Amino acid sequence: MSVFSHNEFDNHEQVVFCHDESTGLKAIIAIHNTNRGPALGGCRMWNYVDDQEALNDVLRLSKGMTYKSALANLDLGGGKSVIIGDPRKHKSEELLKAMGRFLERTGNQYIAAEDSGTSVPDLQVMGIETNNVAGVTERTGIDGLPCNGDPSPATAYGTFAGLKAAVQYKLDRTDLTGLKVAIQGVGNVGYRLAEHLHKAGAQLFVTDIHEEQVDKAVRELGATAVSQKEILSLDVDVLAPCALGAVLNDESIPLIKAQVIAGASNNQLAAQRHDLMLRERGILYAPDYAINAGGIIDIFYERIGHEHNKVRAHIETISDTLMEIFRRADSQDRPTGEVADELAEERFMK
Ligand code: NAD
């Protein structure tokens, strides 16, 4: 298996293959870049088909974290780790502790957070062996209330700030009263985003595969329930994807009527070229990793212990970053995703 000539290799600083015979742990830690600070990123546990698929994931995702933290102006680099195995079958306390010992060996260059297949309690078990875990302590949340470490409220708040910036830029309005917003997925982030929008007077259209979530939004936020099929093509001002990735693709883009796309989902563009396709259709796309950075900002401050109002203020800078992206994209006639990458590179490359 090649690393240096791998398609996803992008001058990563360290790629560590970890094996613990007694617990069966097989993991890879990838540290992409530490120019701005220690690499922070999720520890994913997944039943990969083979080592190659795991390497692919860890190289790609660790690079994404460098860009995300840099764009959010955090003193963090980018990294990721993957544990190879089925989280429902192969996870054990001893395996998680073994992972913790490997995290410790990175010499504070990589900090792991919760991700697909790992939970806050799992990270707490790793934390028995190392301090290099994040998102694990109870603290005051961004609303001033106790928070168990879940970054979703911060992600939703940042997405709301970013959505307002995009609306101001594209639709020239700061008052959200009557603004029509379609939200795909009213889970941890989407529902909280809906609450912020409802308070601001927006008119909501929601869908989810879990009906009870939709019913709650209808009952408590006056939202209109729509089908999963019609959500992307509704005649609304803003589309907020908050469920899954790759929703902006060859099929959906020609049907989108919203002038603004501003949602929390990761990897919304099915392929890089869809960035340009949105621009050509005159749709303003708020790049996903810029607008959904509230969670990582929150986790960063958990480690350095700032007050919640400072965390909120930092999260609100997501709107400044987006404004800079929108202006540069228009002045240079380039798609916003491409400009976001360029701005991130300016912020992390020496
Ligand atoms: P979640 O699982 O709590 O919510 C997702 C919701 O989408 C669920 O209610 C689910 O039923 C629904 N859903 C799934 N498929 C759907 C479909 N086809 N149509 C409609 N609804 C569908 O997840 P979350 O934590 O709210 O995260 C939402 C998105 O934001 C994900 O892409 C996630 O990667 C991204 N994100 C989350 C955070 C965070 O802090 N939680 C941070 C950054 C990015």
Side-chain angles (χ1 to χ4, degrees):
M1 179 167 34
S2 65
V3 176
F4 295 129
S5 56
H6 194 286
N7 276 347
E8 298 290 346
F9 180 77
D10 179 67
N11 296 315
H12 287 70
E13 291 177 13
Q14 272 191 66
V15 181
V16 184
F17 290 77
C18 315
H19 179 228
D20 181 69
E21 197 177 359
S22 65
T23 60
L25 172 74
K26 283 185 186 151
I28 312 174
I29 300 172
I31 298 174
H32 175 250
N33 187 288
T34 57
N35 285 353
R36 292 185 65 97
L40 191 143
C43 173
R44 178 169 287 194
M45 184 162 184
W46 196 254
N47 206 8
Y48 290 103
V49 177
D50 53 25
D51 303 357
Q52 194 63 50
E53 193 188 34
L55 179 64
N56 212 52
D57 227 15
V58 80
L59 290 176
R60 182 175 60 82
L61 296 168
S62 56
K63 176 182 173 185
M65 291 308 298
T66 301
Y67 280 70
K68 183 167 188 165
S69 285
L71 202 55
N73 280 315
L74 294 170
D75 294 332
L76 290 173
K80 200 88 184 180
S81 54
V82 293
I83 299 176
I84 301 168
D86 185 336
R88 280 165 302 179
K89 289 190 198 147
H90 303 128
K91 201 190 282 178
S92 68
E93 187 163 336
E94 286 313 311
L95 179 138
L96 294 170
K97 280 192 191 165
M99 185 65 191
R101 289 191 291 278
F102 280 111
L103 297 177
E104 181 65 14
R105 283 202 214 167
T106 65
N108 305 329
Q109 288 301 290
Y110 168 65
I111 302 154
E114 180 193 359
D115 206 290
S116 309
T118 62
S119 61
V120 169
D122 294 339
L123 269 292
Q124 285 166 338
V125 174
M126 293 179 202
I128 296 169
E129 304 285 345
T130 181
N131 284 328
N132 296 336
V133 288
V136 290
T137 52
E138 291 208 358
R139 59 191 186 279
T140 306
I142 53 154
D143 46 11
L145 300 170
C147 154
N148 64 0
D150 175 10
S152 305
T155 303
Y157 185 61
T159 306
F160 179 56
L163 185 152
K164 283 191 292 183
V167 166
Q168 187 181 350
Y169 187 84
K170 180 74 179 175
L171 306 175
D172 195 21
R173 58 186 281 186
T174 50
D175 181 359
L176 303 193
T177 310
L179 183 85
K180 289 184 182 169
V181 185
I183 306 180
Q184 183 189 41
V186 273
N188 284 318
V189 178
Y191 193 86
R192 291 180 170 97
L193 173 66
E195 287 177 323
H196 288 298
L197 286 163
H198 174 65
K199 269 190 212 138
Q203 193 185 339
L204 304 175
F205 299 83
V206 301
T207 194
D208 201 293
I209 50 176
H210 292 307
E211 264 180 40
E212 66 278 20
Q213 286 294 100
V214 174
D215 292 345
K216 194 172 163 212
V218 169
R219 211 173 45 243
E220 295 181 11
L221 309 175
T224 302
V226 296
S227 71
Q228 287 170 50
K229 203 163 171 263
E230 62 186 327
I231 192 84
L232 298 173
S233 57
L234 279 189
D235 191 1
V236 290
D237 301 302
V238 181
L239 171 63
C242 294
L244 64 173
V247 290
L248 306 176
N249 52 46
D250 290 337
E251 288 74 43
S252 66
I253 293 174
L255 304 176
I256 293 174
K257 297 190 191 72
Q259 291 191 64
V260 171
I261 298 176
S265 285
N266 280 317
N267 306 317
Q268 291 173 32
L269 301 171
Q272 205 51 47
R273 66 193 159 78
H274 295 117
D275 194 14
L276 180 60
M277 206 168 155
L278 287 168
R279 179 163 186 86
E280 286 171 348
R281 282 223 47 222
I283 298 168
L284 183 68
Y285 165 62
D288 46 18
Y289 75 91
I291 194 169
N292 73 15
I296 194 163
I297 294 171
D298 188 36
I299 287 175
F300 171 75
Y301 282 101
E302 174 201 18
R303 292 188 67 76
I304 62 166
H306 263 310
E307 294 157 22
H308 70 273
N309 51 2
K310 288 201 175 146
V311 185
R312 279 176 81 94
H314 194 139
I315 291 174
E316 284 161 12
T317 65
I318 287 175
S319 52
D320 304 328
T321 294
L322 283 174
M323 283 295 194
E324 193 172 344
I325 292 168
F326 298 153
R327 286 193 199 104
R328 195 184 291 190
D330 275 347
S331 69
Q332 299 176 358
D333 192 17
R334 292 164 63 204
T336 51
E338 184 186 302
V339 170
D341 288 351
E342 180 184 79
L343 187 60
E345 283 162 9
E346 287 166 11
R347 292 181 180 181
F348 78 79
M349 283 184 180
K350 278 183 177 162

